[in-house]
């Protein structure tokens, strides 16, 4: 299917523009949706945290009232008259308790109407009694029932007493201020949340307590403030997972998270166990929900705010829908704008197309008028200039074609004359080529003979080289022998020098041994004198009697040492005498060996002289063989040069013959070419006539 340029332009540009706008809109939509949803979720998280803080603050305020009651001077007066807090007797202490509870009620009911079910004054247990459930029956309370307006004394509610025992047994039996989990009270006929605070005496012992019971509806009203939209709701979980507040009345104050089939709430309970706030998104059927949870630390409860996504994101979805509608309108406007703009731009091109159709018929007399100054206007002006130039070229072609026709006729005549002359030149050149070929054969034979002489010379050279190698080997052998003789002479010189050194050292050792002998004689004399002195000391010790016995022992030991020294000196003297005899014998042997080595050196020197003469004779032979080899190589080089020149001459002759044949062939080809040129000239004349006919079809005026 043939498409117009406008259709192609629109088909090319419009999809790109629409795709770009759609991508931009899609990215903007996704980003805007993510940002808006994130901001709404963050805002709802902050709202939930603030509501949880409000509940926490509200519970703290209610507990504060109980703590103020514990510190009341009236309660201290009650303890003075009833230190054991026996709430079953009827005396002034009970009347004071009733007055205290009544004054509390008057204040609370005015400030917080319909929020309390009862107000209590409590007794307590010893620290070691809280862990035994049998002692819980001792726990009693004097309370004011807000529903009936009566003052009564009853045992603690079973649920409250059980939770108190669980809590305080873990703290070593020391009660602490607390908010108990909600429970049903038979006395009030409703679900309540009990809060207690304790009074300690001067020794730190807990002696009494005060409490208040909040109605569960009061707690529910606080949680209902969390509700967002028509379908959203709030949930309050106690620390053991009991539903304190839930829109399902069958669950509130009756079920725990672990006992109901609600995976989402179970997951929320697990997440909230960390004590941190957070967000959990989940689906129930077609409904998508977001649960915001936080912890009320004063009571250890978890506040859950469940919001439906369609209600939370309703305003943002409307805004995004409007954005999509605006984007579609923009795409439609841009598409229409591109269509009309393309139509406007195509009009000048349509004029150009029509004018080109006229020119294609050969009519070059017209022109196109487009006054725009853009690229299309420049194209129209260039087209007009091209048509003008084409008119001039067609006129010039017509004139030149006539000239070509005349020249082609003259060229055909000249080619016929040149063809005849070229044939005669070719015959003469053929004779010269035959003579040159014969000359090349004779030169080739001479070159072959010279090559044979070169090969014979090379044989002589090879034998000379063999003689040179043999001479070199003899030369090398004599050189090695000569070096061996020189090394032997050098070694003998070293041995003589070492013998002389050893001889000098032996004489020096002989002198030193004589000196050692003299020293030994001195040691021997000292030993003899020491022996005499030891004998004299022994005699004197014997004269001294008992007092000289110790000295006699020492003298005897000195005498023994002197004798050992004399024996050792005699042994050293004998050894030195033997060493001197051996040194004298070695010295004589070294003198004889030195004389023999000197004689060997002279013989080796004489052998070195003979090897020197052999070396000179081999060198003379080596020189003569080298001269023969050098002369033979010169002859080979001369023969090679002669062969090269003969080959060159043969090659030149062959080239001359080949060139002559080529000239002959070229002459023949030239003759043929001249014939072809003549034929071409005739064809050219025919074409020039045809060109005149074609040019005449163009209309230039």
């Amino acid at each position: 299917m043939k498409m117009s340029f406008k259709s192609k332009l629109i088909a090319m540009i419009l999809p790109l523009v629409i795709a770009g706008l759609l991508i931009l809109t899609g990215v903007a939509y996704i980003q805007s949706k993510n940002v808006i949803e994130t901001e709404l979720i963050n805002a709802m998280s902050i709202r939930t945290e603030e509501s949880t803080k409000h509940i926490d603050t509200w519970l703290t305020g209610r507990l504060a009232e109980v703590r103020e009651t514990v510190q009341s001077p009236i309660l201290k007066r009650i303890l003075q008259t009833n230190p054991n807090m026996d709430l079953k007797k009827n005396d002034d202490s009970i009347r004071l308790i009733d007055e205290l509870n009544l004054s509390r009620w008057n204040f609370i009911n005015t400030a917080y109407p319909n929020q309390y079910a009862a107000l209590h004054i409590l007794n307590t247990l010893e620290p070691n009694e809280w862990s035994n459930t049998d002692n819980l029956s001792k726990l009693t309370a004097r309370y004011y029932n807000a529903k009936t307006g009566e003052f009564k004394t009853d045992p603690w509610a079973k649920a409250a007493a059980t939770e108190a025992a669980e809590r305080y047994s873990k703290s070593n039996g020391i009660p602490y201020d607390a908010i108990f989990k909600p429970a049903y009270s038979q006395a009030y006929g409703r679900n309540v949340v009990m809060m207690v605070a304790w009074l300690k005496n001067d020794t730190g012992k807990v002696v009494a307590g005060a409490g208040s019971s909040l109605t569960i509806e009061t707690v529910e009203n606080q949680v209902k403030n969390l509700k967002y939209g028509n379908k959203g709701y709030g949930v309050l979980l106690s620390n053991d997972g009991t539903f304190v507040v839930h829109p399902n009345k069958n669950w509130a104050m009756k079920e725990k998270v672990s006992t109901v089939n609600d995976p989402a709430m179970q997951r929320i309970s697990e997440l909230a166990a960390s004590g941190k706030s957070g967000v959990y998104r989940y689906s129930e059927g077609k409904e998508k929900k977001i649960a915001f949870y936080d912890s009320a630390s004063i009571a250890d409860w978890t506040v859950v705010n469940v919001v439906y996504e369609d209600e939370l994101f309703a305003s943002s979805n409307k805004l995004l829908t409007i954005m999509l509608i605006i984007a579609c309108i923009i795409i439609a406007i841009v598409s229409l704008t591109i269509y009309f703009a393309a139509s406007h731009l195509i009009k000048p091109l349509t004029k150009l197309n029509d004018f080109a159709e006229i020119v294609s018929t050969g009519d070059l007399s017209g022109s196109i008028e487009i006054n725009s100054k853009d690229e299309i206007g420049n194209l129209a002006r260039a087209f007009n200039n091209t048509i003008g130039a084409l008119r001039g070229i067609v006129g010039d072609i017509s004139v030149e074609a006539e000239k070509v026709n005349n020249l082609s006729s003259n060229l055909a005549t000249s080619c016929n004359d040149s063809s005849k002359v070229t044939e005669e030149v070719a015959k003469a050149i053929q004779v010269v080529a035959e003579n040159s070929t014969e000359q090349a054969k004779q030169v080739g034979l001479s070159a072959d003979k010279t090559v044979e002489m070169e090969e014979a010379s090379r044989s002589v050279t090879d034998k000379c080289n063999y003689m040179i190698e043999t001479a070199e080997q003899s030369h090398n052998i004599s050189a090695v022998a000569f070096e061996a003789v020189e090394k032997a002479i050098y070694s003998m010189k070293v041995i003589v020098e070492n013998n002389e050194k050893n001889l000098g050292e032996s004489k020096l050792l002989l002198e030193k041994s004589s000196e050692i002998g003299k020293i030994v004689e001195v040691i021997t004399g000292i030993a003899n004198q020491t022996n005499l002195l030891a004998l004299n000391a022994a005699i004197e010790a014997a004269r001294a009697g008992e007092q000289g016995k110790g000295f006699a022992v020492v003298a005897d030991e000195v005498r023994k040492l002197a004798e050992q020294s004399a024996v050792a000196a005699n042994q050293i003297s004998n050894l030195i005498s033997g060493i001197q005899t051996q040194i004298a014998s070695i010295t004589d042997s070294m003198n004889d060996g030195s004389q023999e080595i000197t004689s060997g050196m002279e013989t080796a020197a004489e052998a070195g002289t003979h090897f020197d003469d052999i070396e000179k004779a081999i060198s003379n032979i080596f020189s003569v063989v080298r001269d023969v080899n050098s002369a033979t190589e010169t002859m080979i080089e001369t023969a090679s040069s002669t062969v090269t020149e003969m080959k060159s001459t043969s090659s030149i002759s062959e080239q001359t013959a080949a060139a002559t044949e080529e000239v002959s062939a070229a002459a023949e080809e030239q003759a043929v070419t001249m014939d072809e040129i003549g034929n071409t000239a005739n064809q050219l004349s025919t074409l020039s006539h045809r060109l005149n006919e074609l040019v005449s079809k163009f209309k230039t005026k």
Side-chain angles (χ1 to χ4, degrees):
M1 181 178 179
K2 185 177 180 181
M3 294 179 64
S4 64
F5 180 74
K6 180 175 74 174
S7 300
K8 291 180 180 179
L9 181 63
I10 293 173
M12 180 177 64
I13 295 175
L14 192 59
L16 293 176
V17 173
I18 293 174
L21 289 174
L22 289 175
I23 292 172
L24 180 62
T25 303
V27 172
Y29 177 84
I30 294 172
Q31 292 296 327
S32 300
K33 183 177 181 181
N34 291 336
V35 170
I36 293 172
E37 288 186 0
T38 301
E39 291 298 325
L40 289 173
I41 290 173
N42 291 337
M44 187 57 64
S45 296
I46 294 172
R47 182 174 179 270
T48 302
E49 290 175 5
E50 290 177 350
S51 298
T52 304
K53 288 180 181 178
H54 172 73
I55 294 173
D56 202 55
T57 303
W58 177 75
L59 291 172
T60 302
R62 303 290 78 76
L63 184 61
E65 186 275 329
V66 180
R67 288 171 173 169
E68 289 178 359
T69 301
V70 168
Q71 300 299 328
S72 171
I74 297 176
L75 185 58
K76 294 180 180 179
R77 286 173 55 194
I78 293 169
L79 288 170
Q80 289 176 356
T81 59
N82 190 1
N84 295 324
M85 288 300 292
D86 184 2
L87 302 178
K88 294 182 180 180
K89 61 183 180 179
N90 187 8
D91 57 7
D92 291 339
S93 65
I94 300 301
R95 286 191 292 274
L96 287 174
I97 290 173
D98 293 343
E99 291 177 2
L100 177 60
N101 284 332
L102 183 60
S103 64
R104 291 173 63 196
W105 170 250
N106 291 332
F107 167 75
I108 287 173
N109 192 41
T110 302
Y112 313 106
N114 302 320
Q115 291 189 4
Y116 285 78
L119 302 174
H120 315 264
I121 298 297
L122 312 170
N123 66 355
T124 184
L125 298 176
E126 294 295 328
N128 59 354
E129 293 179 331
W130 286 102
S131 58
N132 190 345
T133 56
D134 295 336
N135 296 321
L136 298 182
S137 60
K138 298 179 182 179
L139 293 172
T140 56
R142 182 70 179 178
Y143 63 94
Y144 173 78
N145 189 331
K147 183 177 180 180
T148 61
E150 296 179 344
F151 295 98
K152 285 187 177 181
T153 299
D154 283 326
W156 280 32
K158 183 178 180 180
T162 302
E163 184 177 356
E166 291 176 356
R167 285 174 176 262
Y168 301 148
S169 61
K170 295 178 181 178
S171 60
N172 297 322
I174 300 175
Y176 56 86
D177 300 349
I179 299 176
F180 293 164
K181 63 184 179 182
Y184 181 78
S185 172
Q186 294 286 348
Y188 320 129
R190 64 201 312 178
N191 293 315
V192 296
V193 176
M194 177 179 281
M195 295 179 288
V196 296
W198 302 97
L199 175 66
K200 296 180 181 180
N201 60 14
D202 296 337
T203 63
K205 180 182 178 181
V206 176
V207 292
S212 62
S213 296
L214 290 170
T215 62
I216 197 64
E217 290 79 11
T218 303
V219 179
E220 289 176 350
N221 291 333
Q222 296 295 325
V223 177
K224 285 179 181 179
N225 294 330
L226 292 171
K227 183 178 180 180
Y228 181 86
N230 296 323
K231 298 185 290 184
Y233 57 89
V235 177
L236 187 64
L237 299 174
S238 67
N239 55 358
D240 66 346
T242 301
F243 289 103
V244 179
V245 178
H246 195 279
N248 187 346
K249 298 300 182 182
N250 295 323
W251 288 6
M253 299 299 299
K254 297 177 182 179
E255 298 289 346
K256 294 183 179 181
V257 174
S258 59
T259 62
V260 298
N261 185 19
D262 191 345
M265 194 58 64
Q266 291 173 0
R267 178 58 180 162
I268 294 169
S269 178
E270 292 173 359
L271 294 172
S274 63
K276 298 180 180 179
S277 60
V279 179
Y280 178 69
R281 304 180 75 162
Y282 63 99
S283 300
E284 287 185 355
K286 296 181 179 180
E287 298 284 359
K288 293 184 177 180
K289 301 179 182 180
I290 304 177
F292 302 87
Y293 57 88
D294 198 3
S295 176
S297 57
I298 188 67
D300 198 17
W301 293 347
T302 300
V303 179
V304 182
N305 180 20
V306 180
V307 179
Y308 285 75
E309 287 192 7
D310 57 350
E311 290 185 338
L312 181 61
F313 302 143
S315 58
S316 65
N317 290 334
K318 289 181 181 178
L319 179 62
L320 293 172
T321 302
I322 293 171
M323 185 181 74
L324 290 176
I325 293 171
I326 293 172
C328 292
I329 293 171
I330 292 173
I331 290 173
I333 293 172
V334 170
S335 300
L336 292 174
T337 302
I338 291 173
Y339 177 80
F340 289 112
S343 299
H344 178 71
L345 292 173
I346 291 301
K347 285 183 179 179
L349 294 177
T350 304
K351 290 183 179 181
L352 281 172
N353 182 62
D354 296 338
F355 181 62
E357 289 289 340
I358 295 171
V359 172
S360 66
T361 61
D363 187 0
L364 303 178
S365 60
S367 63
I368 186 171
E369 295 296 331
I370 295 176
N371 297 323
S372 63
K373 296 182 180 180
D374 55 7
E375 288 78 3
I376 296 176
N378 294 334
L379 178 61
R381 286 187 288 274
F383 199 41
N384 287 331
N385 295 334
T386 302
I387 296 301
L390 188 58
R391 281 197 295 266
I393 291 170
V394 170
D396 293 339
I397 290 172
S398 180
V399 174
E400 295 299 326
E402 188 64 31
K403 292 179 180 180
V404 170
N405 188 23
N406 296 330
L407 289 173
S408 61
S409 298
N410 296 331
L411 181 61
T413 303
S414 299
C415 287
N416 290 329
D417 296 337
S418 297
S419 178
K420 294 177 181 179
V421 174
T422 303
E423 288 178 358
E424 294 178 357
V425 172
K427 292 178 180 179
I429 291 172
Q430 184 65 30
V431 175
V432 175
E434 294 175 355
N435 295 331
S436 297
T437 302
E438 183 64 24
Q439 184 181 1
K441 290 181 180 179
Q442 296 299 326
V443 173
L445 293 173
S446 299
D448 293 338
K449 296 296 182 180
T450 307
V451 168
E452 292 177 0
M453 184 179 67
E454 181 185 0
E455 292 176 353
S457 299
R458 288 190 183 278
S459 176
V460 174
T461 302
D462 293 338
K463 292 179 180 180
C464 289
N465 287 332
Y466 177 73
M467 291 178 66
I468 289 171
E469 291 177 358
T470 304
E472 285 180 348
Q473 292 176 358
S474 301
H475 174 70
N476 293 334
I477 292 169
S478 63
V480 170
F482 188 70
E483 290 178 1
V485 172
E486 288 183 344
K487 289 181 181 179
I489 294 171
Y490 176 75
S491 299
M492 292 177 181
K493 288 181 179 180
V494 171
I495 292 170
V496 170
E497 292 176 358
N498 290 333
N499 282 338
E500 291 177 354
K501 288 181 181 179
N502 292 333
L503 185 60
E505 292 176 356
S506 298
K507 291 180 178 179
L508 180 60
L509 181 60
L510 189 60
E511 293 175 358
K512 295 297 183 180
S513 61
S514 299
E515 293 178 0
I516 291 171
K518 294 178 180 179
I519 292 170
V520 169
E521 291 177 357
V522 174
I523 291 171
T524 303
I526 292 171
N528 292 331
Q529 292 179 1
T530 302
N531 191 13
L532 293 174
L533 290 174
L535 291 173
N536 292 332
I539 294 170
E540 293 296 329
R543 291 177 180 177
E546 293 295 330
Q547 296 177 353
K549 283 184 179 181
F551 188 71
V553 173
V554 173
D556 186 54
E557 293 297 327
V558 171
R559 181 180 58 79
K560 291 178 180 178
L561 289 174
E563 290 176 352
Q564 292 174 1
S565 297
V567 172
N570 289 329
Q571 291 176 354
I572 291 169
S573 177
N574 295 330
L575 289 173
I576 290 171
S577 298
I579 289 169
Q580 287 176 347
T581 303
Q582 291 178 0
I583 289 172
S585 176
I586 290 169
T587 300
D588 293 336
S589 299
M590 289 176 67
N591 286 327
D592 295 336
S594 178
Q595 291 175 0
E596 291 176 358
I597 290 169
T598 302
S599 176
M601 285 175 60
E602 292 175 355
T603 303
E606 184 178 356
T609 303
H610 293 301
F611 276 114
D612 192 19
D613 295 337
I614 294 168
E615 172 69 18
K616 289 178 181 179
I618 292 172
S619 296
N620 292 331
I621 294 169
F622 187 71
S623 176
V624 171
V625 174
R626 281 193 179 276
D627 291 340
V628 173
N629 183 55
S630 177
T632 306
E633 287 180 351
T634 301
M635 184 174 66
I636 291 171
E637 290 176 358
T638 304
S640 297
S641 176
T642 302
V643 170
T644 302
E645 290 176 358
M646 287 180 177
K647 287 182 178 180
S648 176
T649 302
S650 176
S651 176
I652 291 170
S653 299
E654 290 175 355
Q655 290 176 1
T656 302
T660 305
E661 290 177 354
E662 289 177 359
V663 171
S664 177
E668 292 176 356
E669 290 177 359
Q670 184 177 5
V672 175
T673 302
M674 295 307 292
D675 292 337
E676 292 176 353
I677 291 172
N679 294 331
T680 303
N682 292 329
Q683 292 176 359
L684 187 60
S685 177
T686 303
L687 289 173
S688 64
H689 288 297
R690 177 60 178 165
L691 184 60
N692 284 328
E693 292 176 0
L694 293 173
V695 171
S696 63
K697 292 182 180 181
F698 286 96
K699 182 180 179 182
T700 58
K701 295 181 181 179

